[in-house]
Amino acid sequence: MAIKHFLQFSDLTLDEFEHVIERTRVIKRKFKNYEPYHPLADRTLVMVFEKNSTRTRLSFEAGMHQLGGAAIYLNTRDSQLGRGEPVEDAAQVMSRMCDVIMIRTFGQDIIERFAANSRVPVINGLTNEHHPCQVLADVFTFIEHRGSIKGKTVAWIGDANNMLYSWLQAAQVFDFHVNVSTPKGYEIDPTLIAADNTHYTLFAAPSDACVDAHLVTTDVWTSMGFEEENAARLKAFDGWIVDAAKMKRAQPDALFMHCLPAHRGEEVAAEVIDGPQSVVWDEAENRLHAQKALLEYLVLGKLN
């Protein structure tokens, strides 16, 4: 099997995603039934972190152990990457000592350069431009609760960040539509979207983007690395809170998702994230199961 990386959502085909989603179902069922499943015995995952994490580290580290393998945590403070070792050199060394690598870093160019010099699969645990593992878990969560996402409408309320760009790629792959509402000054960067992507519509008013949506989703207003902009963002994002009024404009059985951590009273009202339409805890848990299926596929290929 040729080396397959997962650096952005569009790196896998619909057929590959359907396989990973089916494997996610199987692996989750085994986990819930306490059935040991160790297809990655004697395999090693290296996790490289330049950005802090809760869900990404826990889901990958626990997931690799549950698959029978080992996970090694590295950050730039205690590795040579923090002392200026070229990304290309680090990729050559690390990929000779392990079976798969996950990186959580800043610029997408960093992970692209790393993957170009790696002998093993590389997974994007988050970059400034893309967050494909989170959206993989989100798509699985929707399918788990509502069935096929094909033809459905997802409302994105917030700035054009890595989550939105991964949602837009997912919409092309799975053939659904994204209603996008971003505050002025925080709009989509067209260079990060495929020229032939017609699976989204822009809305000036966030409440209009929610009309008839099957899923409403958002993210914090100030992502990691933009903390100095927090005061300006709080002002610019006034009105972009996902509250009960906006959820009422969506489909009656619409779901609410948030990649977490969340700030109640800012991007989402407590009555929404803690309400009956919210599936954020299933969504968070499904990072574990979806990434286990992804690790299995990238290391071993398709399994029955």
Side-chain angles (χ1 to χ4, degrees):
M1 178 180 173
I3 296 174
K4 174 70 92 171
H5 302 300
F6 190 54
L7 308 183
Q8 50 187 301
F9 204 90
S10 58
D11 283 347
L12 300 188
T13 66
L14 177 60
D15 178 70
E16 289 174 309
F17 276 117
E18 288 178 339
H19 170 79
V20 170
I21 286 171
E22 181 55 34
R23 294 301 300 163
T24 302
R25 285 195 186 99
V26 171
I27 288 170
K28 182 174 183 177
R29 184 172 66 247
K30 289 179 181 295
F31 177 83
K32 296 295 186 181
N33 291 335
Y34 297 95
E35 296 178 26
Y37 181 60
H38 300 147
L40 298 186
D42 295 325
R43 303 298 182 104
T44 303
L45 163 69
V46 168
M47 308 180 298
V48 182
F49 285 86
E50 286 195 284
K51 284 190 173 186
N52 295 332
S53 167
T54 299
R55 279 151 293 276
T56 297
R57 179 177 178 181
L58 181 58
S59 56
F60 271 106
E61 189 164 347
M64 193 64 182
H65 284 297
Q66 290 165 17
L67 293 174
I72 298 172
Y73 171 82
L74 295 176
N75 63 52
T76 52
R77 294 185 300 277
D78 55 23
S79 69
Q80 295 296 338
L81 277 171
R83 300 178 62 193
E85 181 175 21
V87 170
E88 293 79 3
D89 292 1
Q92 291 278 359
V93 172
M94 289 183 194
S95 65
R96 287 169 179 259
M97 298 184 182
C98 67
D99 302 282
V100 58
I101 298 169
M102 185 282 297
I103 302 177
R104 185 177 174 95
T105 185
F106 291 90
Q108 184 73 12
D109 64 303
I110 296 172
I111 200 168
E112 298 279 354
R113 288 163 52 203
F114 193 103
N117 290 273
S118 175
R119 294 184 171 201
V120 300
V122 177
I123 298 171
N124 182 351
L126 176 143
T127 61
N128 291 343
E129 293 86 356
H130 298 283
H131 199 357
C133 288
Q134 180 65 60
V135 173
L136 171 60
D138 293 358
V139 169
F140 174 78
T141 303
F142 184 91
I143 293 170
E144 187 176 48
H145 281 267
R146 295 289 184 264
S148 175
I149 198 170
K150 181 177 181 179
K152 299 300 192 296
T153 298
V154 175
W156 174 265
I157 310 300
D159 66 337
N161 65 6
N162 49 11
M163 282 293 297
L164 174 57
Y165 293 121
S166 289
W167 270 115
L168 292 175
Q169 290 189 354
Q172 277 195 293
V173 174
F174 284 92
D175 191 20
F176 61 86
H177 201 82
V178 184
N179 289 349
V180 179
S181 182
T182 60
K184 187 175 181 180
Y186 299 89
E187 297 93 346
I188 286 173
D189 179 352
T191 65
L192 295 178
I193 302 175
D196 62 347
N197 192 337
T198 59
H199 290 259
Y200 69 97
T201 303
L202 303 179
F203 290 84
S207 59
D208 291 341
C210 295
V211 173
D212 291 332
H214 301 88
L215 167 63
V216 179
T217 185
T218 188
D219 195 0
V220 294
W221 289 345
T222 305
S223 298
M224 283 183 291
F226 298 93
E227 287 80 5
E228 71 282 358
E229 301 176 9
N230 187 56
R233 284 174 173 261
L234 288 176
K235 183 177 180 180
F237 284 67
D238 184 37
W240 263 261
I241 184 173
V242 178
D243 52 19
K246 292 183 180 67
M247 290 300 297
K248 285 180 180 177
R249 303 201 71 186
Q251 291 281 334
D253 64 344
L255 301 176
F256 172 77
M257 292 189 193
H258 190 305
C259 59
L260 303 177
H263 297 154
R264 290 166 175 79
E266 290 187 12
E267 75 276 3
V268 60
E271 62 186 341
V272 172
I273 193 170
D274 299 320
Q277 292 174 277
S278 174
V279 292
V280 298
W281 311 122
D282 289 343
E283 177 189 4
E285 179 191 338
N286 284 335
R287 286 288 301 275
L288 171 68
H289 309 303
Q291 288 164 191
K292 286 164 72 174
L294 179 67
L295 286 166
E296 178 192 76
Y297 173 64
L298 294 180
V299 175
L300 301 178
K302 286 187 176 182
L303 301 181
N304 294 322

